[in-house]
Amino acid sequence: MFLADVNELTKPRTPTLPQVEDFMESEGWIPQPPGSAGRMWVKRAARIAIPEMYGEDPALVQGIIERIARWERKDLRFITNYIRYYRTDVALLRAAKDDYADTISLEAASSVISNAKAILRASGTTAWSEKSNIAGNYSKQGDAVVGTARMDHTVQGPFMIPVLVPLPKLEIPQAPLPNIQGEELFRAAAEPFARRVTRTLAQSLVAVNEVIVQPEGMPSARTLHAAVERGVSREFCSALTKILEQPAVAEFTAYFQWAPAIQASSSVPGTVEIDAAAAEKVKRAAEILKAKRLEPRSTFSGGIVELRHVQDEPFGTVTVATVRNARACEIRVRLTYEQYQEAVGWHRDRRPVIVHGTVREGPGRKLIVDQPESCRPIDESLLPEPRQAQVVQLHSRHSFDRNI
């Protein structure tokens, strides 16, 4: 269920005035100096007046949105929802059975809601530091993101719980000017941690499906290692099991809407489906993760925030924004020129990478990996078969329209 589909099923709710102004500022509208009655916002030939409001009037806010929709030549219902979720990631969690499409038992609904929080909380901790068994050691950073999460009104039709995760405004750092002749330097803002949490939630569901559910037989500790590297934990599997075990649940589906304000990776899934029949395998995975310590070593993941290459050099470097030893940091990875050229494409598509290699401290206390064992997009790492690419790209058409 993505924005275009939600527009058909729900009556859009009017965003707040700060949400409207945040959208306008981010999309190129320029506020003029305020007057006694308000201020004018300008974008090329368009002018929209926003009156001074003492207490929000939904009718006035809706009138502003109608004028934006006319200027942008967009459907009013679409633009209303677009602004409302402009800086919010949405995970629509669906647990349903065919016999009662519009309802679900109260017990099952309670299980979905309580375990949705447990899944998000586990993802918040493993987004900060991968752990096979959290064992009560939840990260403060992850819990802070969970504390900001909201539950929206349910969507008409199949029973769904919309979980909202607000994102902060990005501060794009200014890249230093190249000081080496012929050096190419590209710099981007790091992924905000709140987005990393929602991305980890999506990645973990994919990993559960790919590593635990789809293969024949029960998962082994060795195969679960790849899932742990992508954010899966015992707590995540236990919470998911409790949802799948509900008699009223035939399948669990998560749909993701990524906040338009911050570009999402082209590789992040739009939809993940897990059949309730997989409950026993997911439960077994949780037991293995509790019994065996599967902490990733010499492994880190994150988005590429910097690319450097000096003309004619046989290598280049990429800088990955990640978390190491319980702190946010950046690690520079040295690649062959052929690998570096591939990394340019990953950076362009905002594809997070996973790196295996020994990290050392270089000049200026910079963290460096000189000879990585591997450096690949995180979505390519689970399945070697060509089908992996199909899984990732299956629902890419549902992403937000950026051309508004």
Side-chain angles (χ1 to χ4, degrees):
M1 197 66 57
F2 294 84
L3 188 58
D5 305 308
V6 171
N7 286 336
E8 299 300 322
L9 295 175
T10 64
K11 179 180 179 180
R13 290 178 292 281
T14 303
T16 64
L17 182 60
Q19 286 176 319
V20 174
E21 292 182 327
D22 176 32
F23 161 81
M24 294 179 73
E25 183 178 13
S26 299
E27 295 293 329
W29 293 84
I30 301 173
Q32 303 304 298
S36 57
R39 72 168 71 213
M40 191 73 69
W41 289 69
V42 178
K43 184 177 182 181
R44 298 192 292 275
R47 284 173 169 74
I48 293 179
I50 296 185
E52 186 71 35
M53 295 187 189
Y54 301 94
E56 281 202 13
D57 183 338
L60 285 177
V61 175
Q62 189 61 32
I64 295 168
I65 296 171
E66 289 172 0
R67 293 195 290 278
I68 293 173
R70 284 197 296 271
W71 165 253
E72 302 285 4
R73 297 182 181 179
K74 293 291 181 182
D75 175 75
L76 177 60
R77 183 182 292 268
F78 174 90
I79 203 72
T80 300
N81 274 334
Y82 193 96
I83 293 173
R84 177 175 167 80
Y85 300 113
Y86 184 70
R87 205 172 290 279
T88 302
D89 283 342
V90 182
L92 291 161
L93 306 181
R94 175 180 181 265
K97 202 170 184 178
D98 293 338
D99 49 359
Y100 294 102
D102 291 335
T103 64
I104 194 171
S105 73
L106 185 59
E107 182 179 359
S110 174
S111 177
V112 173
I113 293 172
S114 63
N115 287 293
K117 180 182 177 182
I119 287 172
L120 182 63
R121 191 183 188 200
S123 299
T125 290
T126 56
W128 187 251
S129 178
E130 296 90 349
K131 296 176 182 291
S132 59
N133 185 13
I134 297 171
N137 296 316
Y138 290 94
S139 74
K140 293 180 180 179
Q141 295 79 4
D143 280 355
V145 173
V146 175
T148 68
R150 311 285 294 178
M151 175 179 161
D152 208 346
H153 291 285
T154 54
V155 176
Q156 180 182 349
F159 182 83
M160 291 191 186
I161 297 296
V163 178
L164 313 183
V165 179
L167 304 184
K169 287 187 177 181
L170 286 180
E171 294 184 6
I172 302 176
Q174 295 296 317
L177 292 174
N179 55 13
I180 300 176
Q181 186 176 4
E183 181 183 50
E184 297 174 345
L185 172 63
F186 304 93
R187 180 80 190 182
E191 175 186 56
F193 183 66
R195 164 61 62 78
R196 186 179 173 99
V197 170
T198 8
R199 175 173 63 77
T200 299
L201 170 58
Q203 279 176 193
S204 296
L205 286 170
V206 171
V208 166
N209 195 38
E210 297 285 339
V211 175
I212 300 170
V213 175
Q214 291 187 12
E216 295 288 339
M218 289 293 184
S220 66
R222 182 177 181 181
T223 59
L224 285 176
H225 191 273
V228 172
E229 289 180 336
R230 285 147 192 83
V232 176
S233 63
R234 173 184 71 87
E235 287 76 4
F236 187 95
C237 291
S238 295
L240 181 58
T241 298
K242 291 175 183 176
I243 295 175
L244 298 175
E245 286 180 335
Q246 286 293 322
V249 175
E251 67 178 12
F252 175 78
T253 308
Y255 306 90
F256 293 93
Q257 292 178 175
W258 304 102
I262 298 175
Q263 183 180 344
S265 166
S266 62
S267 65
V268 176
T271 304
V272 185
E273 299 178 1
I274 298 178
D275 195 277
E280 187 59 33
K281 296 179 77 173
V282 180
K283 183 178 181 179
R284 175 58 182 154
E287 293 170 351
I288 295 173
L289 292 172
K290 181 179 181 180
K292 295 183 179 294
R293 186 181 178 91
L294 299 174
E295 308 302 316
R297 298 179 182 276
S298 301
T299 301
F300 59 90
S301 65
I304 296 173
V305 295
E306 186 177 275
L307 297 155
R308 287 176 180 265
H309 176 251
V310 178
Q311 187 176 5
D312 297 329
E313 288 286 348
F315 61 87
T317 61
V318 301
T319 301
V320 178
T322 187
V323 177
R324 177 179 168 82
N325 296 331
R327 67 181 182 90
C329 65
E330 295 183 355
I331 301 178
R332 188 171 294 176
V333 182
R334 178 169 165 153
L335 302 173
T336 67
Y337 184 64
E338 291 74 18
Q339 293 171 323
Y340 174 82
Q341 287 180 307
E342 284 190 275
V344 171
W346 305 337
H347 172 73
R348 181 191 60 236
D349 296 335
R350 301 293 192 271
R351 296 173 71 184
V353 296
I354 185 166
V355 181
H356 297 260
T358 301
V359 181
R360 70 173 178 87
E361 192 173 287
R365 305 191 70 178
K366 302 260 183 205
L367 298 177
I368 300 169
V369 176
D370 295 300
Q371 295 180 322
E373 297 173 29
S374 66
C375 176
R376 299 297 301 170
I378 204 166
D379 56 281
E380 287 186 2
S381 305
L382 287 173
L383 291 179
E385 297 86 359
R387 184 165 58 87
Q388 172 70 19
Q390 297 172 7
V391 170
V392 170
Q393 298 173 5
L394 184 59
H395 298 280
S396 61
R397 65 180 183 278
H398 292 295
S399 59
F400 280 105
D401 181 356
R402 293 291 300 166
N403 301 315
I404 75 167

